[in-house]
Each structure stands twice: as structure tokens, then as C-alpha cells.
Amino acid sequence: QVQLVESGGGLVQAGASLRLSCAASGRPFSRYFMGWFRQAPGKEREFVAAITWGMGVTAYADSVKGRFTISRDNAKNTPYLQMNSLKPEDTAVYYCAASIRGGTVFQGSSYDYWGQGTQVTVSS
């Protein structure tokens, strides 16, 4: 069994920064890539960012490009999401996900394991 646990969410004012982490536990697993998704109240889950675990190639949603940075610490098996210049529209529950099968990084169906989410609230 694999468990992903996000941390680092919180309530901040617009323009502030937060750094999300995703800790993996349970049996070891090989991952093609890991990603971050978010879901705001009343909206569908959307892709935020992803990183390939081997080469560290990154991808971002247009809405966060230039403000968010995804990175990984291979030694700790931990991905991070640095979020700068936060806006009220970034308010959502943020989920970490891992893909062991590969596929399209933008699609939730490519991911095999999901965390329980961490709340990010940005006030204006």
C-alpha cells in the first residue's frame, strides 16, 4: 500500500507564498512522474503542475506558469510545489498524485496514487 500525504497548505493573503510537500509512505514504488492537482468548491479538479521523476522535466497549467514551481528531492522521494504571488483564485484543495504507469501528465487518469489533499486559501 502506498500513501501520499500533503502538507504546507494554509490561509494567506494575496501576494504571499506557500510551499507544499508530499510525503510518500508504504511500500516502495517506481514513479514515472508526480503531479499536483487542485479542486475549488463547485469546480472540477484541474491539473496544476507535474514533474518526471527521472529527468525532472516539468509541466504547468497556464494559470500558474511563472508563479508556481514544482521540484523534487529524489533522496527524500518528495515532490514540492512552491507557490508565489498567490491569488484568491488559487484557493482550492491541492492534491499530490503519483503515476507508476505513465501517460499524459495533464490527465488525472494517468495517476495511480493520490493524497488526501491540503487546503490553500488565499484572501484578497
Side-chain angles (χ1 to χ4, degrees):
Q1 189 75 5
V2 172
Q3 291 183 327
L4 302 178
V5 179
E6 303 91 339
S7 61
L11 172 62
V12 297
Q13 290 188 330
S17 298
L18 283 173
R19 188 193 194 204
L20 305 184
S21 301
C22 176
S25 62
R27 64 176 180 84
F29 64 99
S30 296
R31 62 207 80 179
Y32 278 97
F33 48 81
M34 295 195 71
W36 290 93
F37 287 74
R38 66 187 182 186
Q39 187 167 20
K43 295 187 177 181
E44 293 186 352
R45 183 182 62 193
E46 65 175 356
F47 169 79
V48 175
I51 186 167
T52 64
W53 212 248
M55 297 297 293
V57 177
T58 59
Y60 296 93
D62 288 343
S63 59
V64 305
K65 280 181 181 177
R67 299 187 299 121
F68 291 11
T69 302
I70 189 170
S71 61
R72 83 228 190 277
D73 184 330
N74 285 356
K76 296 181 179 179
N77 286 325
T78 299
Y80 302 96
L81 185 67
Q82 178 67 42
M83 306 186 294
N84 298 330
S85 302
L86 283 162
K87 304 175 181 180
E89 50 263 45
D90 293 319
T91 295
V93 177
Y94 283 71
Y95 298 92
C96 169
S99 174
I100 62 173
R101 297 173 287 120
T104 304
V105 300
F106 309 104
Q107 295 179 344
S109 58
S110 297
Y111 295 81
D112 303 278
Y113 302 114
W114 292 82
Q116 83 291 344
T118 185
Q119 177 71 47
V120 172
T121 303
V122 185
S123 63
S124 59

